[in-house]
Every structure is written in structure tokens, then in C-alpha cells.
Amino acid sequence: MKLVKLLANLGYGSRKEVQRFIKAGAVTDDTGEVLREASNTPHERILFRGEPLDPPSPLVIIMNKPDDYTCSTEDPGDTIYDLLPARFSCRNPGLNPIGRLDKDTTGLLLMTDDGKLLHRIIHPKSNCLKRYHAVLDRPLNGSEGEIFASGEMLLRSEDRPLLPAQLEVLNEKEAIVTLHEGRYHQVRRMFAAVDNHVLTLKRISIGGLALPDDLEEGEWRPLTDAELALVFDHP
């Protein structure tokens, strides 16, 4: 890919802006040699203003989503895109969340510019299980696990039963819920249906990929190939 198109697709500016950056000497290789539009330098060796280029497409990133951030730019307030470099909003193709998290749900969120991968992960046939840590307002009564796993649970205003979900009780007010699907506010609505209320909810894994311990809330990084493969593992 030509240097101007590469930088423009990565969001560093319009093609005209990128051309000006190149003429001004802002784009070099890792030895400091100034690059020109016709340069044929490998992506990993190109620097923009002394910094390595952002990863190329296709890109998958992992984020530890904080509370009070939405996954849609159409919603008011802070969004997950505010946690990324501003130029990421100009990437072509753009980054999209792989399954949204509610504004008040935290934890593991994947984003990608690879549409085929996105649909592969969210498709029910992929069986990418999603695990959530829920802190509840009231103690569990002991019947929730059987109800969640029955395959007969109906949520209000729906006529299709939920797929069986697993409940792992941690203590009287904390539990891990494993879902095989991802309906709107599903975990919160499930507990509401058994007369409880979720105080905090955090997604802790997708498939065999767990939220890294060293990824603080609000932080993100590119996902490695090995980590991506874990998404399709079934623990």
C-alpha cells in the first residue's frame, strides 16, 4: 500500500494532510531516514513524528471497559471511543465493538475492524461463552441456578426462552453467570426475574480468553494471535 494511503487509512489525516506531513519530514524509518511518498518501507519500520505507526488492519484490541461509558457514538456522554487515540475514529475500516457492554457494565470488551471476525465471534454457532461477575443487592435464595439452567426461562416482553445459562455461586450476594447468547441487559433481567437486583456487573471472559490482570480499567492494547485463538476455546 502506498505511504499516503496507508497513513490516511490509519487516521493520521486526510490524504492531503498526510502529503504535507511527508513533505515536512514527519515520516521516517526506524533509522531516522526521511521517507517520501514513493518509499516502500515495511509498516513495522515506519515512524510518524518519532513514534511507531498504529497496528494495521485487520486489528483486534482488548479493552477493560470502565463504568459509565457507552459503546455507541449515538449515545450521549462518554463512549469507549474516547478511551482510544482520537485518530482511531478516522481509521478506514473503522473499529467496532464485538458485542456491546451496557453503560454500567465493566470489563472485557473486544473491538475490531474485521467484519467477518466480528460476526464469527457473535454468531451463536461459535459458542463463544461469555462469563460475568455479578454483585447482587439481595442474598441468593438457592433456586436461581436451576431456573437459569432450565432452558425455559422467559424474560419480560419476550416469547422465546433463554438458552440454558450456568450460575456459579461465590457467596450469598456474588455469582458468576455464563451465557451462550447476549440479549439486551440479559444478566440484569435474569436476576430481576428472580426478584433480585444487580448492583455491579463485570464481563470477565469470552470463550477461553480472560480479562488480563494487568489491564487496568480504561486501558486497551492490541490482542495477540494467541489470545484471539483463546476466544474460540470452550473452557
Side-chain angles (χ1 to χ4, degrees), residues 177-224:
V177 181
T178 301
L179 301 183
H180 296 254
E181 56 188 332
R183 301 194 199 180
Y184 180 71
H185 291 318
Q186 182 171 340
V187 175
R188 297 179 186 277
R189 294 167 70 199
M190 288 169 66
F191 279 109
V194 292
D195 298 320
N196 212 324
H197 172 69
V198 174
L199 296 177
T200 66
L201 189 64
K202 180 177 184 178
R203 184 155 65 192
I204 57 175
S205 68
I206 299 176
L209 176 67
L211 181 65
D213 292 333
D214 60 352
L215 196 65
E216 300 294 331
E217 280 199 3
E219 292 184 344
W220 65 273
R221 61 169 172 77
L223 200 68
T224 67

Side-chain angles (χ1 to χ4, degrees), residues 1-13 15 18 22 27 35 37 39-47 53-57 90-92:
M1 185 181 297
K2 292 184 178 180
L3 188 58
V4 172
K5 183 178 180 181
L6 171 64
L7 293 172
N9 284 355
L10 290 175
Y12 286 93
R15 295 199 181 193
V18 168
I22 293 173
V27 186
L35 300 181
E37 289 187 28
S39 299
N40 190 24
T41 305
H43 186 113
E44 63 274 11
R45 293 191 56 203
I46 301 174
L47 305 180
L53 291 188
D54 296 327
S57 178
C90 300
R91 283 180 66 108
N92 182 25

Side-chain angles (χ1 to χ4, degrees), residues 62 101 106-110 128-133 176-179 202-212 230-231 233 235:
I62 181 172
L101 289 179
T106 64
L108 196 162
L109 180 68
L110 299 179
C128 294
L129 307 180
K130 295 169 284 291
R131 301 177 72 235
Y132 296 83
H133 177 208
I176 304 294
V177 181
T178 301
L179 301 183
K202 180 177 184 178
R203 184 155 65 192
I204 57 175
S205 68
I206 299 176
L209 176 67
L211 181 65
L230 290 174
V231 172
D233 282 351

Side-chain angles (χ1 to χ4, degrees), residues 63 65-84 89 103 109 111 218:
M63 175 185 290
K65 178 190 168 299
D67 187 24
D68 212 30
Y69 281 75
T70 67
C71 290
S72 173
T73 56
E74 297 177 359
D75 295 329
D78 296 324
T79 77
I80 54 174
Y81 296 94
D82 297 325
L83 302 171
L84 302 173
S89 64
K103 182 177 182 179
L109 180 68
M111 301 180 71

